[in-house]
Amino acid sequence: MASPTNSPSTLLTLPNFSIQTSTFLPKTSQRSIFQKKKPFNFNSKRVVSCKASNGKQNDADHTSFLNRFDRRDILLGLGGSLYGATSLVRDPFALAVVPIEPELSSCGESTVDTGKTCMNVPCCPPKLKDSKIIDYEPLLGRKIRYRPAAHLVDCDYLYKFELAMERMKALPVDDPRNFMQQANIHCAYCNGAYSQVGFPDQKLEVHYSWLFFPFHRMYLYFFERILGKLIDDPDFAMPFWNWDSPCGMTMPQIYLDPYSPLYDENRNLEHQPDVLVNLNDGKSVVKKKKKKKEDCFNELTKREQIKSNLCVMYQQMIRSSKTASCFHGAAYRAGCVSETDIGCTPEPRGGTIENGAHLAVHKFVGAKNPPYNEDMGNFYSAGRDPLFYAHHGNVDRMWNIWKTLPGKKRRDFDEDVWLNSSFLFYDENANMVRVKVRDCLDSKALGYDYQSVDIPWLRSKPTPRRSRPGVGRGQDQGQDVLARRKSKYFRRFPIVLDKVAVRIEIQRPTKSINKKKDDKEEVLVLQNIQLDRNDSVQFDVSINDDEDDDNPCKPEDAEFVGSFSNLPHGDNCHSEAMLSTNLYLPLSEALEDLKITSEDRFIVVTLVPKEGEVSIGNIKIDYVC
C-alpha cells in the first residue's frame, strides 16, 4: 500500500465553488475507466434495447427513463422464458402510478458476461404444476418465535439448524423448496429476471429502492418456514449475524465448519475469525506487528475497527435515516417510461443500510475469485451461501430497530403504490404465494421477532475532530473563497474521482427559496454518479474537514457524512456497461455537531476515493429527503 505524500495541494476554482485535490491517499491498481471504456456520456437520454421475451425479440428498441438509469448495481440481464400459461397481466395502457408486480410468464435466464462469452444463469423457479397462486394469509394461533444471535446459539439449536439445512439441500432439484431453488429466488428478483406486470419492457429489480426491505423480509420468512417444516418444528427461527455488535463482528463460528451444511467454500479466506468486518467498506485489515508506518496507512487495530463500526451504525441508523426516504430509499413505481410521468420516480437510490453496512458485509464475505467474487460478493450468487440468510436477518432487524428510534418521521411509507406492490414466493407446502408489502410491515404480525441483545452503537455518536469551528466560517471563510477564485486553475463538472481526494465548496440554499425547510432534512445530493458496473468502487464523503490535514475523516468523526459503494456484477450482455445513480446524504445532525448555522452559506465537501474510479455529474444541497 502506497504511503501518504506531503506534496502541496492544488487549487481548482469553479464559478460557484472551488475544488482542491490532495495526494494523501494510496494509489489503486484499477485501470482508468477512460482507457478501458469509452468516455462517459452525460446525455440524459440514453437508449437501452429491450431484451428478448418468450423466445422472441422485441419489435423495437424502447427509450425508458427507468432503463436509462438501469436501477442496478450487481443486477444481471436476461433473455428467454420458462413459462407460458400463468400470467398476472395488467392492462398495458394503465396509468404509470401503479404497484410493482412480477410477470411470472416473463421469467427467463439471467446472463453474465464472462469477458469472452455470455454465460446463462437459470434463476427462475420450476414451472407451476397448475396455475393457482394463493394470496398470503397470516398464520394464526402461533406464539412469537425469536431469531437468535448466531454467536449465542447452543449445541441443541445448532444440531436442529444443520439438520434442517441438510434436508433442504437434499430435496429434489425441481422442488421449489430445494436450497438452490431458494437461492435462485434472490437471483431472479435481484438480477432482473422478471418484467413488471403490464409493462413487458420494464424489469423488476428490488435493490436500490423502497422494495429492498419488504422483499428480503418475506424472502427470509418463507425460507424459515420451509426449514421448520423439514424438521417438523413450526416455531423454528433462523439465526441472525449480529455484525453491529463487537461480539458479532466476525463471521459466526457455526458457519465455518467445512463438514457442515452451513459452510460455503466461496468465501474470502483472509476474512476468517479473528478478522473483524469493516462496516464502512467491507475490506477489514488489522495492523500487524513490525510493520513500517507507511505500510499501516488506513489500517486499524481491533479496538479502532470496533469503534469505527459502531460509529458507522450510528451514522446509518440515526444520523442519516430520519425519514422513510432516507432509510428505505427512493420510490419505485411500475411502468415509468419517461421523466414526465406524473408520480413516477424511477431514481436508483438505496437507503442508508442497503448502501452501507449491507453492501460492506457482502464484500467482506465474498471470495476473491474475479471477476464476480461469488458467492456473497455478487447478488446473483449470494443466496447460495447459508451465511447470506443470517446476514439479511440482521439487515431485517435494522428495520425493526429503526422504527423504535426517536423521531416523528421514522415511520414507513403510507402510499398505496408501495403497500400494494407484491412478490411471489413458495411456502413450506410448495404453494406459490403472492405477498404484498402491506403484509410484512410488522415482523410480530408475521410471528417472529429478534433476541434482545445490547445495541452499543446507540451510544456511539461521532465527535468533531477539532474544537474550533469548521472550515468555511466567518471572515476567514470569505478570504479563503476569494483566494480560491483567483486560482489560475479552472474546472467544471463532471468530476473524475480516482486516486486523489477532491474538495469542493458548495453553496447552501437560501431561506427565501426554502420557506418550509424546517420540516425537511437538509441533504447533500451527488447526482449522475457514473461508473463501470463491473468495477468495485468505494468513496467516502465528509464536510468541513481541515484542508491542511493529510489524514482523511473516518466514521468516528462528525465531519464524516457517508460513503458510496458498488460491487461488480459483469452484465454487459444485454445492458450498457456504465451505471448511473445518485447518492443522498442527510446533513442536519452533522451541521449541528459542527456548529454550522444557517448563516453559513457554504460548506466544503471532501470526496475521498478508496477503490475504483467514478465520475460525478453534479453536487448540490437540497431539502428533499
Side-chain angles (χ1 to χ4, degrees):
M1 185 176 293
S3 62
T5 65
N6 295 318
S7 58
S9 298
T10 301
L11 293 175
L12 302 174
T13 305
L14 289 79
N16 296 322
F17 49 83
S18 57
I19 296 181
Q20 180 183 17
T21 63
S22 55
T23 57
F24 56 76
L25 293 172
K27 295 182 179 180
T28 66
S29 60
Q30 298 287 334
R31 293 175 297 169
S32 170
I33 46 182
F34 292 102
Q35 292 176 353
K36 65 180 178 178
K37 299 292 181 185
K38 61 184 180 180
F40 288 118
N41 176 11
F42 288 91
N43 185 347
S44 64
K45 297 295 182 183
R46 280 176 18 189
V47 177
V48 178
S49 297
C50 295
K51 301 169 188 175
S53 177
N54 296 324
K56 298 180 182 180
Q57 184 66 33
N58 289 299
D59 295 336
D61 286 351
H62 180 70
T63 302
S64 167
F65 182 72
L66 181 59
N67 283 340
R68 170 165 62 82
F69 282 112
D70 218 359
R71 298 197 52 77
R72 297 184 291 182
D73 191 7
I74 320 171
L75 308 179
L76 308 180
L78 62 125
S81 174
L82 295 179
Y83 302 92
T86 303
S87 176
L88 306 176
V89 176
R90 173 185 282 116
D91 179 3
F93 299 102
L95 294 176
V97 187
V98 294
I100 296 283
E101 295 181 53
E103 175 54 78
L104 187 62
S105 65
S106 73
C107 194
E109 291 184 333
S110 293
T111 57
V112 180
D113 184 1
T114 64
K116 296 181 180 179
T117 60
C118 287
M119 175 179 67
N120 290 329
V121 181
C123 294
C124 293
K127 292 183 179 180
L128 283 175
K129 296 180 180 179
D130 53 48
S131 60
K132 184 178 180 181
I133 299 176
I134 63 177
D135 289 320
Y136 169 80
E137 292 185 3
L139 299 175
L140 302 178
R142 290 189 179 180
K143 65 180 181 180
I144 299 295
R145 57 189 186 276
Y146 288 89
R147 293 177 176 175
H151 68 282
L152 297 177
V153 301
D154 58 26
C155 293
D156 291 339
Y157 175 89
L158 178 58
Y159 172 79
K160 185 182 294 187
F161 184 30
E162 287 183 331
L163 179 62
M165 189 66 72
E166 184 178 11
R167 289 178 176 176
M168 178 182 278
K169 290 185 174 183
L171 289 172
V173 67
D174 61 346
D175 189 321
R177 301 168 299 174
N178 172 277
F179 179 77
M180 278 299 297
Q181 294 290 359
Q182 287 294 303
N184 285 340
I185 292 175
H186 189 261
C187 174
Y189 277 95
C190 302
N191 300 345
Y194 289 112
S195 64
Q196 301 171 19
V197 167
F199 304 96
D201 296 332
Q202 302 293 328
K203 295 304 171 184
L204 193 164
E205 294 149 358
V206 296
H207 281 92
Y208 303 98
S209 78
W210 62 6
L211 296 184
F212 172 78
F213 279 99
F215 167 80
H216 287 88
R217 168 167 286 183
M218 296 311 295
Y219 177 38
L220 266 64
Y221 169 78
F222 283 104
F223 189 94
E224 184 175 69
R225 279 175 52 170
I226 293 171
L227 290 177
K229 174 78 170 184
L230 292 173
I231 56 175
D232 196 25
D233 182 0
D235 296 324
F236 177 78
M238 290 190 301
F240 67 94
W241 179 3
N242 190 198
W243 37 250
D244 61 306
S245 178
C247 294
M249 288 180 182
T250 61
M251 289 190 200
Q253 287 288 344
I254 64 173
Y255 292 88
L256 303 180
D257 179 1
Y259 300 100
S260 169
L262 304 180
Y263 183 75
D264 182 54
E265 61 181 9
N266 289 326
R267 293 179 187 154
N268 190 334
L269 297 179
E270 296 179 3
H271 288 167
Q272 300 288 319
D274 294 328
V275 178
L276 304 179
V277 64
N278 183 331
L279 293 179
N280 186 47
D281 61 23
K283 297 194 173 184
S284 187
V285 181
V286 177
K287 288 180 180 178
K288 298 179 181 179
K289 294 181 179 180
K290 297 181 180 180
K291 227 181 180 187
K292 294 181 180 179
K293 182 178 180 180
E294 56 267 25
D295 293 333
C296 295
F297 181 74
N298 258 356
E299 297 182 5
L300 303 175
T301 65
K302 287 186 177 181
R303 185 180 296 274
E304 290 169 340
Q305 185 66 77
I306 289 173
K307 180 180 179 182
S308 175
N309 284 344
L310 296 179
C311 289
V312 165
M313 292 307 302
Y314 185 97
Q315 173 79 35
Q316 295 174 10
M317 287 292 293
I318 298 177
R319 216 175 180 215
S320 298
S321 62
K322 296 182 178 180
T323 67
S325 178
C326 295
F327 179 75
H328 281 282
Y332 179 22
R333 302 173 176 92
C336 298
V337 295
S338 75
E339 296 181 63
T340 58
D341 284 349
I342 299 175
C344 212
T345 312
E347 176 200 345
R349 175 174 59 83
T352 52
I353 287 295
E354 181 187 0
N355 282 341
H358 161 251
L359 283 183
V361 175
H362 272 280
K363 285 185 175 182
F364 179 77
V365 178
K368 288 186 174 181
N369 51 351
Y372 308 125
N373 303 319
E374 293 92 344
D375 282 328
M376 276 276 282
N378 199 304
F379 283 172
Y380 95 87
S381 56
R384 300 174 185 178
D385 188 342
L387 188 51
F388 167 88
Y389 303 91
H391 166 44
H392 268 276
N394 205 40
V395 171
D396 180 70
R397 174 173 162 261
M398 293 302 112
W399 187 7
N400 277 6
I401 294 174
W402 176 74
K403 289 191 282 191
T404 68
L405 299 175
K408 61 181 181 180
K409 296 181 181 179
R410 282 193 173 93
R411 58 181 184 270
D412 293 325
F413 300 100
D414 58 5
E415 298 179 46
D416 285 340
V417 70
W418 182 64
L419 295 171
N420 291 327
S421 291
S422 63
F423 319 102
L424 299 172
F425 299 100
Y426 281 97
D427 67 11
E428 66 272 25
N429 298 313
N431 298 314
M432 182 168 276
V433 182
R434 180 191 292 108
V435 183
K436 293 184 178 181
V437 170
R438 65 171 66 253
D439 296 324
C440 64
L441 302 182
D442 182 0
S443 72
K444 289 184 178 180
L446 294 170
Y448 76 89
D449 202 352
Y450 290 91
Q451 178 182 3
S452 179
V453 293
D454 185 34
I455 309 176
W457 48 262
L458 292 173
R459 307 179 294 274
S460 299
K461 183 180 177 70
T463 56
R465 294 214 282 181
R466 294 159 191 82
S467 58
R468 66 179 178 83
V471 175
R473 287 179 59 88
Q475 185 176 1
D476 292 340
Q477 179 263 354
Q479 294 174 353
D480 186 55
V481 172
L482 181 61
R484 297 179 195 206
R485 290 177 178 168
K486 288 183 178 179
S487 170
K488 63 180 180 180
Y489 295 98
F490 185 80
R491 186 175 174 183
R492 296 181 182 274
F493 282 109
I495 296 169
V496 177
L497 188 64
D498 47 17
K499 296 179 177 65
V500 296
V502 176
R503 286 188 169 90
I504 314 149
E505 186 174 69
I506 303 295
Q507 185 172 0
R508 299 168 69 193
T510 61
K511 290 182 179 179
S512 59
I513 297 176
N514 298 279
K515 295 180 180 180
K516 297 183 179 179
K517 72 175 188 177
D518 291 338
D519 298 329
K520 298 182 180 179
E521 177 79 8
E522 188 167 353
V523 176
L524 183 68
V525 184
L526 282 68
Q527 297 177 308
N528 202 11
I529 301 172
Q530 294 209 5
L531 61 146
D532 188 322
R533 63 175 68 251
N534 297 324
D535 285 347
S536 183
V537 170
Q538 172 88 18
F539 66 83
D540 294 341
V541 185
S542 59
I543 63 171
N544 282 28
D545 191 17
D546 191 332
E547 301 183 26
D548 297 325
D549 194 332
D550 286 339
N551 296 314
C553 275
K554 299 179 178 63
E556 55 265 35
D557 302 318
E559 293 85 352
F560 184 95
V561 294
S563 299
F564 174 87
S565 185
N566 180 67
L567 292 178
H569 66 276
D571 175 28
N572 290 345
C573 300
H574 296 292
S575 64
E576 294 190 13
M578 308 314 292
L579 169 71
S580 295
T581 186
N582 305 302
L583 178 65
Y584 284 22
L585 298 171
L587 296 178
S588 296
E589 187 168 327
L591 296 174
E592 181 180 348
D593 293 342
L594 298 174
K595 297 181 173 58
I596 299 174
T597 70
S598 59
E599 302 303 318
D600 296 297
R601 302 309 320 136
F602 297 87
I603 63 171
V604 176
V605 176
T606 303
L607 308 175
V608 181
K610 306 290 286 295
E611 182 181 16
E613 301 181 18
V614 299
S615 177
I616 300 172
N618 188 39
I619 301 177
K620 66 176 184 177
I621 296 174
D622 206 344
Y623 297 88
V624 296
C625 199

